[in-house]
Amino acid sequence: GMSAEKYVFDTSHEGKKTSITIKKLNNNENMENITMACDHVLKSHNLVRDVEHESGVMKMVGWRRDGYKCTSRKYRPRRKIDRKKTNEYSKNISETLVKQFEGTVHETKLKKAIKDNKLGENELPTIAISEDLTNSIHVDPEDCSESFGYWFSRKGKKGRTWVLFPYYSLAIECSHKKPMLITWDGRCQEHCSCTVGRGVLSLAGFCKTKHINFMDCMNGFTLKRRKDLTLEVGKKVDVILSQVNNKKKRRLMDKVGIISSINGNSRTAVIDFVGKEPCREVPFDMIM
């Protein structure tokens, strides 16, 4: 049995040092808001794991790679009417998960995952929400960061989940008396879970390789304003415009035009565009 408040279990994989980091938290306190957010996702989103011999539920929020539409998009609820709440609750879930790891033994790993994957401040792009999960042993080869898991219980429920790392003979009990923070490298550390009873919720945040690679690729196509750009009447410039007739989606297009006049007070310029695009006044920031 593990009695320490925190524990670091050092491992190795193909010569690379890894670890499983565990921290026991105080009993569940003020978890109503995050439980409500989890309930919305569990009721309105589609299952992402549905295996005959497994039990419990797992659903996702955040970003995913959509190979069919060749883009990255967020997990959405089944009904459009639930999308606004999903956006609000997803943010709440992400902030709560990150906040739990701040100031703990896990914080260094969390900062490294965010920095390495260029995700922006305090953001884990994909989060799995599970309840009473029992699943088979597996690895997650499509992850590109360690996983950051938080196990806690519903108020008044006394179910127990054991997070298992069979290769290392390690079993971690998570219950109403033992909410846990666990970080592990799902790419190489085989893991699974087993639940007895009801009411154990978990949040697991991570980064997916396909999503991160897609975002890196798209960032390479982002047009940035040249630092040496000077605006003069008669100068030929590139301009980023939104399509006026496309009200459903705000699409951008790149047009070439010639500056006909400049207004320094409003920081705008009138552009005579090449082709059929009508003359338009645009802000300096849209001129490349």
Side-chain angles (χ1 to χ4, degrees), residues 113-125:
I114 292 173
K115 180 181 178 182
D116 287 352
N117 295 289
K118 305 172 185 177
L119 301 172
E121 186 177 357
N122 293 339
E123 182 183 358
L124 287 168

Side-chain angles (χ1 to χ4, degrees), residues 128-258:
I129 301 169
S130 304
E131 183 169 14
D132 304 331
L133 188 65
T134 294
N135 60 358
S136 54
I137 186 170
H138 65 282
V139 292
D140 300 300
E142 293 188 357
D143 289 1
C144 62
S145 76
E146 294 194 40
S147 297
F148 300 84
Y150 173 35
W151 277 260
F152 60 99
S153 294
R154 293 182 180 275
K155 189 174 182 179
K157 296 294 183 179
K158 297 184 178 181
R160 297 183 180 186
T161 292
W162 281 266
V163 181
L164 308 172
F165 297 89
Y167 184 81
Y168 307 106
S169 301
L170 180 62
I172 307 163
E173 181 186 344
C174 309
S175 67
H176 67 290
K177 292 184 178 180
K178 296 180 180 179
M180 291 284 184
L181 295 179
I182 307 172
T183 56
W184 71 98
D185 194 335
R187 295 165 291 188
C188 60
Q189 294 168 339
E190 294 180 333
H191 56 284
C192 57
S193 60
C194 179
T195 299
V196 176
R198 299 288 181 183
V200 183
L201 294 166
S202 67
L203 310 176
F206 41 80
C207 312
K208 286 294 186 182
T209 302
K210 289 183 179 179
H211 166 64
I212 298 302
N213 288 347
F214 175 79
M215 295 305 295
D216 281 344
C217 181
M218 293 305 296
N219 288 337
F221 289 96
T222 301
L223 292 175
K224 296 182 180 179
R225 184 174 178 175
R226 301 197 309 269
K227 294 181 180 180
D228 61 344
L229 180 65
T230 56
L231 302 181
E232 300 173 352
V233 174
K235 188 170 185 177
K236 192 174 183 179
V237 292
D238 287 319
V239 182
I240 302 299
L241 297 175
S242 57
Q243 292 184 5
V244 177
N245 296 328
N246 195 329
K247 295 180 179 179
K248 188 174 181 181
K249 294 184 179 179
R250 295 181 179 177
R251 301 197 179 194
L252 299 179
M253 53 185 179
D254 183 15
K255 292 290 183 178
V256 177
I258 298 173

Side-chain angles (χ1 to χ4, degrees), residues 7-56:
Y7 186 81
V8 179
F9 191 86
D10 292 321
T11 66
S12 63
H13 177 74
E14 296 181 353
K16 179 183 177 182
K17 291 184 178 180
T18 59
S19 66
I20 302 168
T21 309
I22 309 156
K23 179 175 174 58
K24 178 184 174 183
L25 301 176
N26 295 325
N27 290 346
N28 294 333
E29 295 178 359
N30 302 321
M31 298 303 296
E32 288 82 3
N33 289 339
I34 190 63
T35 301
M36 187 184 302
C38 291
D39 281 339
H40 170 78
V41 176
L42 292 171
K43 290 177 182 177
S44 63
H45 285 231
N46 291 319
L47 287 169
V48 294
R49 287 184 71 92
D50 188 12
V51 182
E52 185 177 354
H53 64 276
E54 298 182 350
S55 62

